[in-house]
Amino acid sequence: MKLLVLISLVYLLGSTEALKVLVLYPYAVKSLSILGTGTVRHLLNAGHEVTYITVYPLKDPPTKNFRQIDISNNTQLLENEESLTIGYVLEHKVPRTDALQMQIFTMESARLTFQNENVKKLIQDPNEHFDAVVVDLVESEVFAGLAVLYDCPMIWLYSMGAHWQVLRLIDRATNPAYDPDYLSPANTPLSFLERVDELWSRVKWQYRKTFIIQPEERKIYEDTFGLLVAKRGRTLPDYEDVIFNASLIFGNEHNAVRDRPSTPQNFKYIGGLHIEEPVKPLPKEFQDLIDNSKHGVIYFSMGSFLKSNSLPKPLIAELLRMFGELKQTVIWKFESDLPDVPKNVHIVHWAPQPSILAHPNVRTFITHGGQLSSIEAIHFGMPIIGVPVFFDQFTNIKKAVENGYALTVPLSHDLPKDLKVAIDVMLKDDTFRKKAKELSSIYHDRLSKPGAELAHWVEHVVRTGGARHLRSPAWRVPLYQRLYLDLIALILASVLILATLFFYIVSSLFKKTPKKNNQKKRN
Ligand SMILES: *[C@@H]1O[C@H](CO)[C@@H](O)[C@H](O)[C@H]1NC(C)=O
Ligand SMILES: *[C@@H]1O[C@H](CO)[C@@H](O)[C@H](O)[C@H]1NC(C)=O
């Protein structure tokens, strides 16, 4: 009996520490949901109770402390978006993803999410409560309304590194002269024209955000949460106060990346969080294939979002022919079956990427350079050949090239030829691999693993009632004060007053003399 009481006491004590966390990944982008799944996994491992709102519900969901809310409906936004395929980019040479398009996409995703019947059921339930809300941050802050609804801290998880658009929410936007946009191919140090371009694209972004997007987002926020918050006996705070009120932002980056802007105390790096450790063993067919490849393996994957099969057929045939001439085994992740595949080429519809990259017999990784693949390459010390297509891929690959562990090949009709040259260089020159290993050791040299870091900071935020002590003082200081415009105005005004006074005195002195002259003349 005593033992039973003791056990239940321990259980009660333990369970008071378990938090109820709402995790929301609203975007119909598979790679983002990989990050979402990682977040959920670490929170569950830390003993918390997770409600996961996701576009890609887990097929094998955990049975304990977990509930998922299906918003697969959100895929309708991108369903017929032909411009997001490799084939389209190849033909149309899209130079740079349009920021406005991104802003609209994220806002519409928010609208759809809050209109979703499953989500409505959750947020309209007056008995529902959460200790923290963790949301995937892309370009829209309207989801911060959830933290208002549940009267709990707001935590963002940003899928990229520290960046001005994100830092502006908890600190101040960093200077465009050294913090280029994530959609820009420019890396620091910037040339004069690049600096001007960065400044201009920020002005444009801010203008659109302020005058086009934010008023719409405000409306979504008020329409969605006004009544619900009132029902809970509170008044809805102003939208501007809500979006700049996050407790913490996690950034999906790590210390082996150079040229990151400085970050405030409530910005934490958790890059690598999505990689399961220890790495899952390879399925037998992969294990045998890679083990038995005498000359090593080249792994080729353009990620989960880009569809390789949108490439023109002759180009695919040409790639197959080129791969066929190599001594190495080539594993190509491709969505459909292909005819006339050479013996050393293996087309797979799905690949256990981290486990492949972990195998010492894999020599190089041909990738689009998405953020998750880039982190995995560093994690496993794998040199890469980058074929960036859009979004942040250009900047990721450019950084990798500057770091000395990557080569880049432009997406063009000459891809097979250019790729062959890059593969030859990569396989002959061992410095790429050495450099990748060196960065990998920097990456792994840290106090705690990213998953532990995530769980700790979520708990810290909740324990301290929103971690107000971590907030930067900068976000409260208005622009005119930061730029000392008031001081400049004061100096200008003083100079103006002094100059006027001086002019007045001098001119009144001189006025008298001509009068005398006149009088003399008249006399
Ligand atoms: C999915 O979207 C359609 C139309 O946009 C809507 O009618 C339907 O109710 C949605 N499903 C859910 C679960 O919200
Ligand atoms: C800002 O966050 C803190 C901590 O979570 C909370 O107490 C406060 O009510 C929030 N303010 C607004 C305007 O949402």
Side-chain angles (χ1 to χ4, degrees):
M1 189 63 201
K2 266 185 195 159
L3 192 69
L4 213 69
V5 171
L6 198 70
I7 288 174
S8 42
L9 210 68
V10 167
Y11 175 76
L12 273 178
L13 284 178
S15 67
T16 46
E17 283 182 24
L19 307 177
K20 287 187 70 156
V21 185
L22 178 64
V23 178
L24 166 58
Y25 269 71
Y27 305 110
V29 179
K30 261 240 176 72
S31 52
L32 291 176
S33 81
I34 294 175
L35 214 49
T37 312
T39 305
V40 168
R41 192 178 67 237
H42 292 297
L43 288 172
L44 287 175
N45 284 348
H48 303 305
E49 198 184 314
V50 178
T51 299
Y52 183 34
I53 307 181
T54 174
V55 182
Y56 304 96
L58 306 185
K59 296 211 177 71
D60 236 342
T63 47
K64 215 175 130 234
N65 289 342
F66 181 73
R67 152 175 73 157
Q68 56 186 346
I69 291 173
D70 184 335
I71 49 166
S72 48
N73 227 357
N74 284 13
T75 48
Q76 63 187 273
L77 275 182
L78 291 182
E79 226 149 48
N80 300 313
E81 199 49 72
E82 184 211 15
S83 67
L84 292 178
T85 61
I86 306 183
Y88 184 90
V89 177
L90 176 73
E91 301 305 339
H92 296 80
K93 305 263 175 300
V94 184
R96 175 164 164 171
T97 309
D98 180 38
L100 183 62
Q101 225 180 352
M102 285 302 300
Q103 287 172 325
I104 292 173
F105 166 66
T106 53
M107 182 177 72
E108 291 308 325
S109 296
R111 201 193 303 276
L112 264 184
T113 302
F114 293 133
Q115 280 171 1
N116 191 293
E117 294 303 329
N118 303 331
V119 174
K120 271 196 199 156
K121 217 160 65 201
L122 177 84
I123 60 179
Q124 286 171 357
D125 182 349
N127 298 318
E128 201 65 69
H129 98 95
F130 291 100
D131 298 308
V133 172
V134 181
V135 184
D136 179 16
L137 177 60
V138 180
E139 295 240 6
S140 182
E141 302 90 19
V142 65
F143 300 101
L146 288 166
V148 175
L149 178 64
Y150 297 115
D151 198 15
C152 71
M154 179 70 214
I155 299 171
W156 296 109
L157 203 150
Y158 186 50
S159 57
M160 288 174 266
H163 182 254
W164 72 274
Q165 272 176 23
V166 172
L167 296 176
R168 74 184 235 290
L169 296 176
I170 47 170
D171 188 50
R172 276 299 154 200
T174 37
N175 192 316
Y178 58 77
D179 185 18
D181 197 275
Y182 74 96
L183 294 175
S184 150
N187 279 7
T188 49
L190 303 178
S191 70
F192 171 73
L193 282 181
E194 283 172 337
R195 267 191 303 124
V196 174
D197 185 43
E198 291 303 326
L199 183 62
W200 172 234
S201 65
R202 276 209 203 177
V203 170
K204 239 177 11 191
W205 186 92
Q206 193 61 59
Y207 173 83
R208 288 157 163 179
K209 184 76 181 177
T210 311
F211 296 104
I212 304 173
I213 303 292
Q214 203 147 301
E216 289 264 330
E217 287 177 330
R218 175 186 283 275
K219 199 165 167 320
I220 298 175
Y221 164 75
E222 288 169 356
D223 290 351
T224 308
F225 296 106
L227 267 177
L228 297 179
V229 170
K231 263 195 198 147
R232 288 176 182 244
R234 285 177 276 126
T235 47
L236 195 70
D238 187 70
Y239 186 57
E240 291 255 345
D241 293 336
V242 168
I243 58 180
F244 294 106
N245 194 43
S247 293
L248 198 93
I249 299 184
F250 289 114
N252 183 33
E253 201 157 66
H254 51 80
N255 285 334
V257 174
R258 292 193 303 190
D259 291 338
R260 287 165 298 152
S262 52
T263 52
Q265 307 81 280
N266 51 354
F267 189 96
K268 303 289 177 195
Y269 287 109
I270 44 81
L273 160 115
H274 70 286
I275 303 169
E276 278 185 74
E277 285 188 292
V279 174
K280 278 199 189 134
L282 278 164
K284 185 158 173 23
E285 66 272 25
F286 282 99
Q287 186 77 45
D288 291 348
L289 176 66
I290 301 176
D291 281 349
N292 298 330
S293 297
K294 249 201 341 245
H295 299 280
V297 171
I298 294 169
Y299 172 56
F300 180 18
S301 168
M302 295 298 272
S304 51
F305 189 69
L306 291 159
K307 299 281 171 266
S308 311
N309 59 15
S310 65
L311 284 170
K313 288 215 169 64
L315 189 70
I316 293 174
E318 197 49 27
L319 278 169
L320 281 176
R321 204 188 49 74
M322 181 274 286
F323 287 142
E325 286 169 2
L326 298 171
K327 278 192 295 190
Q328 285 73 24
T329 299
V330 176
I331 299 177
W332 185 358
K333 202 217 93 182
F334 198 90
E335 301 80 31
S336 43
D337 290 321
L338 291 174
D340 310 322
V341 177
K343 258 214 202 88
N344 65 326
V345 181
H346 297 262
I347 303 294
V348 296
H349 300 291
W350 168 86
Q353 183 159 304
S355 313
I356 291 178
L357 295 178
H359 196 295
N361 216 9
V362 177
R363 305 284 298 276
T364 187
F365 174 24
I366 306 172
T367 170
H368 62 310
Q371 180 76 345
L372 296 185
S373 292
S374 298
I375 293 176
E376 284 166 21
I378 296 284
H379 187 107
F380 297 108
M382 181 62 63
I384 61 179
I385 298 174
V387 189
V389 182
F390 47 57
F391 211 53
D392 60 332
Q393 295 156 11
F394 292 96
T395 177
N396 293 344
I397 292 296
K398 210 165 166 192
K399 278 186 185 164
V401 170
E402 280 170 10
N403 270 315
Y405 71 99
L407 287 169
T408 180
V409 173
L411 178 67
S412 77
H413 286 281
D414 288 333
L415 185 64
K417 215 171 67 211
D418 297 344
L419 211 46
K420 175 78 171 58
V421 175
I423 290 171
D424 287 345
V425 173
M426 184 65 77
L427 293 179
K428 252 189 236 125
D429 189 344
D430 204 36
T431 53
F432 294 99
R433 175 170 283 271
K434 276 192 192 136
K435 198 70 204 176
K437 292 283 176 219
E438 183 187 319
L439 287 166
S440 188
S441 66
I442 298 177
Y443 162 95
H444 285 290
D445 190 21
R446 51 177 156 193
L447 254 138
S448 52
K449 303 253 179 211
E453 197 86 7
L454 172 97
H456 168 75
W457 286 112
V458 170
E459 289 158 14
H460 181 84
V461 163
V462 176
R463 274 198 296 264
T464 60
R468 312 310 285 170
H469 55 284
L470 291 182
R471 284 180 73 78
S472 155
W475 69 277
R476 270 181 285 155
V477 183
L479 185 72
Y480 80 90
Q481 286 185 16
R482 270 180 293 128
L483 298 181
Y484 281 92
L485 294 184
D486 45 356
L487 175 66
I488 294 172
L490 189 70
I491 293 174
L492 282 181
S494 314
V495 169
L496 210 69
I497 290 169
L498 284 179
T500 315
L501 225 62
F502 181 74
F503 181 76
Y504 181 76
I505 293 167
V506 170
S507 63
S508 62
L509 277 181
F510 274 93
K511 256 183 217 153
K512 282 181 191 150
T513 5
K515 259 185 202 159
K516 274 179 199 159
N517 287 347
N518 285 351
Q519 276 169 354
K520 262 184 199 166
K521 264 183 196 167
R522 256 182 239 156
N523 289 348

